[in-house]
Amino acid sequence: MQTNNALIAWAFAYTFATLTPPSYGDDLKKQAFESQPAEERCANLPQRMSDAWPDASTAITSQQWLTAQTFSIAAASASAVNLPAHCDIYAALKPHVGIDDQPYRLQFHIRLPEDWNGRFFFQGGGGSNGVIGDALGYNGVGNVPALLQGYAVVSQDSGHDNAIHTDPERGGKLAFGHDPIARANYGGLSLEPVTLAAKALIRAFYGQNIKHSYFWGCSKGGQEGMMLAQRYPEHFDGIVAMAPGFSLPRASIAELWDLKAFDRISNPEGRSPVTLQSLQGAFTNDQLITVREAILASCDANDGLEDGITGDYQRCDGNAVLEKLVAQQCPSHNNSLSCLTGAHIAALATVMRGPTNSNGERLYADWAWDGGFGSENWRLWKLGSSDGKVPALNFVLGAGASAALMSVPPVPVAENPQSIGAYIERYDFDTTANNIYVSSETFPRSPWIDMGARETQLEAFERRGGKMIVPHGVSDPVFSVNDTTNWWQEVNATHNKRADAFVRVFPVPGMAHCSGGPTLDRFDTLAALVDWVERNEPPAQIIATGSSTSAWPTRTRPLCPFPKYARYSGAGNPEDSRSFECATK
């Protein structure tokens, strides 16, 4: 398989004191403000905000009034959207010169629609961030962007710029991890100042307070949502933290564990660097289908219906799956494209149980056995795309992040497969893995403090009436759904068995990372969150549907709050969500 820095760059691409609002002494002053054309208010914002920012270093870098127009976007839900008339603003704050002599600053993008619904929407980031974002308010596959629903929307780059802060000798676009302030901003310190700046702009533009504030993010964006609920609970009424990377440093250990395990299929002694080729060839698609079929044969019927979806994944016994695979395994030199050898089964067992050190101490969660195993979205992270065009994202992004972001001190690893493979080879789960908990004079905050957001004490968020929805694909290959459900159980224990009053986790059977897989990945968590926050209607279920290109384009299912699952009632149309109930084991 051919790879180069262009492919690695593609992989990276794949993946904020409250300001007192204006005071009006009488209705005439308020009417005068509201009668000013929105376009003029937009043009006057730099002057209005010159001495009114919560952080004095903030400055608008550009602003323009955009009339209603069609805007092309690269998103799973659409190729273009019809934008409403709005004030489009870019701004920056908190500049600093890093220890690498590079200039850094937090940059954000905010869109203020003329027809505002009174709500604020913070759009979470993804991957290594480093891009300001489109501030359209993406909130799930197929859903109407928040801007089009009337929200004021902000996005941000978390304090570094991929176009500037790149060094091929120190992880490429991950080189910002060598600066402690840039690393901390990425971890979560950027969230509050950008939130406060955005809220100040909104008040200045509309002349009134925000009615409700919402955050929506997946992956790194999910980690940001968790960080807001745990460390900055006063700022948001509702948060969707989807597939949250809240154990990001520990998950990076799992990425390296998986890479080594899959590499051993062709490199059993582990004596040479891990290569993209060994990962690509570790499993054929037919072999991955064999594993999925074994999972379905063992677990599909647990929810009362054999339908290709392991609804009750919690009862799926991985040992039974492995025994089934052992019973039908090939001889070690069999050339079949579908059956597995002992090396395949051993690697699979190693990956699914999760990383441990030599004492058997768990370093990250194990993985759920689910009918979405081995999908193209799954293998893209673990092994690379089936056509060989995209390298394993765990290799180019995960291993690179481990070196540049998840270690104190950061490890300079060049942005090429040979250097990355050598780093993976020498990674030690007894010693190197501990670097996520280390701090130093230069890096006074450990990677776990910077990026870990797995706290279970959420009293402040609960006390202010905050609500959180946490969807998570059961076949997520990056962040384990078991880690998320384990966290919820710990929160539930900490909060006297009443965590579901303010936070609910919704496992999505078959779904990979944020979307995709043999699954129903279209569901509206933002609408469910608004109903919970504004009408006190907690989501007993969220209806999921398939896309027009999925295996089940007309199927609907309820997504159930953990630990419940969708169980077939035994009667009614099995393609209709009304034939299912959210049941307990």
Side-chain angles (χ1 to χ4, degrees):
M1 179 180 66
Q2 298 297 315
T3 187
N4 52 36
N5 288 346
L7 281 181
I8 293 176
W10 183 98
F12 282 110
Y14 182 89
T15 50
F16 181 42
T18 299
L19 177 69
T20 303
S23 176
Y24 302 98
D26 52 50
D27 289 341
L28 290 177
K29 289 183 179 179
K30 183 175 181 180
Q31 291 171 8
F33 180 88
E34 293 176 340
S35 65
Q36 183 181 21
E39 184 174 357
E40 290 183 15
R41 284 187 274 130
C42 181
N44 293 337
L45 274 176
Q47 179 181 355
R48 290 176 61 82
M49 297 300 301
S50 61
D51 58 355
W53 293 107
D55 186 297
S57 69
T58 312
I60 292 174
T61 56
S62 74
Q63 104 279 342
Q64 61 179 325
W65 178 255
L66 298 177
T67 57
Q69 59 184 268
T70 299
F71 183 81
S72 296
I73 59 174
S77 58
S79 59
V81 293
N82 296 318
L83 298 186
H86 67 281
C87 184
D88 186 53
I89 302 166
Y90 289 85
L93 68 160
K94 291 190 175 296
H96 81 277
V97 176
I99 62 174
D100 52 2
D101 294 325
Q102 291 289 320
Y104 291 91
R105 59 181 180 169
L106 302 181
Q107 299 182 91
F108 65 92
H109 180 194
I110 187 167
R111 297 183 192 263
L112 307 173
E114 183 174 24
D115 186 10
W116 183 46
N117 65 10
R119 301 182 180 108
F120 168 49
F121 183 102
F122 195 129
Q123 173 180 313
S128 62
N129 286 350
V131 293
I132 302 176
D134 58 26
L136 294 178
Y138 176 81
N139 60 95
V141 179
N143 296 328
V144 178
L147 180 69
L148 278 65
Q149 298 184 46
Y151 289 79
V153 181
V154 72
S155 58
Q156 58 127 7
D157 67 3
S158 78
H160 64 278
D161 187 338
N162 286 345
I164 300 172
H165 305 116
T166 182
D167 182 346
E169 296 304 312
R170 297 191 301 173
K173 293 179 175 64
L174 294 164
F176 73 89
H178 290 256
D179 177 67
I181 297 177
R183 177 188 285 196
N185 280 333
Y186 168 78
L189 286 186
S190 65
L191 296 170
E192 184 173 54
V194 172
T195 296
L196 294 176
K199 289 188 173 186
L201 267 173
I202 291 169
R203 294 188 187 101
F205 182 72
Y206 296 110
Q208 56 185 293
N209 286 322
I210 297 166
K211 294 177 182 177
H212 294 285
S213 296
Y214 296 95
F215 178 95
W216 197 101
C218 189
S219 189
K220 179 60 173 71
Q223 179 264 359
E224 292 167 353
M226 288 285 185
M227 188 72 72
L228 285 166
Q230 295 167 24
R231 302 192 192 179
Y232 311 106
E234 66 273 22
H235 296 313
F236 289 87
D237 304 300
I239 293 170
V240 173
M242 186 173 182
F246 62 171
S247 298
L248 191 56
R250 294 175 182 168
S252 73
I253 297 173
E255 289 178 306
L256 300 180
W257 176 270
D258 292 357
L259 292 169
K260 284 194 171 189
F262 288 131
D263 177 71
R264 289 193 195 101
I265 294 173
S266 60
N267 179 29
E269 301 300 323
R271 293 176 180 171
S272 60
V274 176
T275 68
L276 290 169
Q277 290 79 8
S278 69
L279 297 172
Q280 181 69 40
F283 282 82
T284 66
N285 281 349
D286 289 337
Q287 289 169 331
L288 293 177
I289 290 172
T290 295
V291 179
R292 179 172 186 260
E293 289 175 345
I295 295 171
L296 292 174
S298 298
C299 309
D300 190 0
N302 288 348
D303 58 8
L305 184 68
E306 293 188 26
D307 59 352
I309 293 178
T310 47
D312 189 7
Y313 77 92
Q314 299 171 64
R315 286 202 294 142
C316 192
D317 184 352
N319 289 327
V321 176
L322 289 171
E323 290 172 4
K324 187 178 294 292
L325 292 172
V326 167
Q328 61 190 41
Q329 77 179 61
C330 302
S332 59
H333 298 293
N334 189 292
N335 292 323
S336 171
L337 294 176
S338 60
C339 63
L340 278 61
T341 66
H344 288 108
I345 297 170
L348 181 62
T350 297
V351 166
M352 296 300 286
R353 75 167 182 261
T356 59
N357 61 22
S358 61
N359 293 324
E361 297 168 332
R362 185 168 293 285
L363 304 178
Y364 184 61
D366 59 355
W367 302 86
W369 294 85
D370 176 65
F373 179 93
S375 71
E376 184 66 18
N377 305 66
W378 182 95
R379 74 165 294 149
L380 183 67
W381 285 89
K382 302 280 194 184
L383 307 172
S385 63
S386 57
D387 61 8
K389 293 181 179 180
V390 183
L393 298 185
N394 278 358
F395 185 101
V396 296
L397 181 57
S402 171
L405 294 171
M406 312 301 174
S407 177
V408 170
V411 181
V413 175
E415 188 190 24
N416 63 68
Q418 294 74 28
S419 297
I420 296 173
Y423 171 78
I424 298 168
E425 178 198 6
R426 64 177 180 264
Y427 191 92
D428 190 296
F429 297 100
D430 286 335
T431 57
T432 319
N434 294 327
N435 289 343
I436 69 171
Y437 303 110
V438 172
S439 60
S440 69
E441 183 176 353
T442 303
F443 288 85
R445 297 158 57 94
S446 72
W448 183 252
I449 295 299
D450 266 339
M451 285 164 271
R454 207 181 176 284
E455 300 166 25
T456 60
Q457 298 281 355
L458 299 174
E459 284 84 356
F461 184 68
E462 178 190 17
R463 190 164 51 247
R464 79 176 306 279
K467 310 297 182 189
M468 179 184 288
I469 292 176
V470 187
H472 200 142
V474 182
S475 280
D476 190 322
V478 191
F479 304 124
S480 171
V481 69
N482 289 347
D483 190 36
T484 298
T485 56
N486 289 343
W487 168 82
W488 185 87
Q489 290 176 311
E490 293 165 21
V491 172
N492 197 37
T494 301
H495 290 262
N496 300 314
K497 306 297 182 180
R498 52 179 177 79
D500 66 348
F502 66 97
V503 56
R504 298 190 179 191
V505 173
F506 288 84
V508 186
M511 191 172 81
H513 189 53
C514 296
S515 64
T519 187
L520 308 179
D521 62 358
R522 294 179 176 242
F523 45 88
D524 197 340
T525 51
L526 180 58
L529 185 65
V530 170
D531 285 343
W532 197 3
V533 169
E534 300 182 21
R535 287 177 278 279
N536 195 29
E537 298 175 1
Q541 61 179 25
I542 299 175
I543 301 302
T545 65
S547 69
S548 59
T549 59
S550 74
W552 310 295
T554 62
R555 178 178 290 183
T556 60
R557 286 284 188 279
L559 301 179
C560 301
F562 181 86
K564 296 181 179 181
Y565 69 97
R567 182 173 65 193
Y568 181 55
S569 65
N573 183 357
E575 298 301 300
D576 192 328
S577 63
R578 291 171 295 186
S579 301
F580 292 76
E581 60 181 352
C582 288
T584 55
K585 290 190 288 186

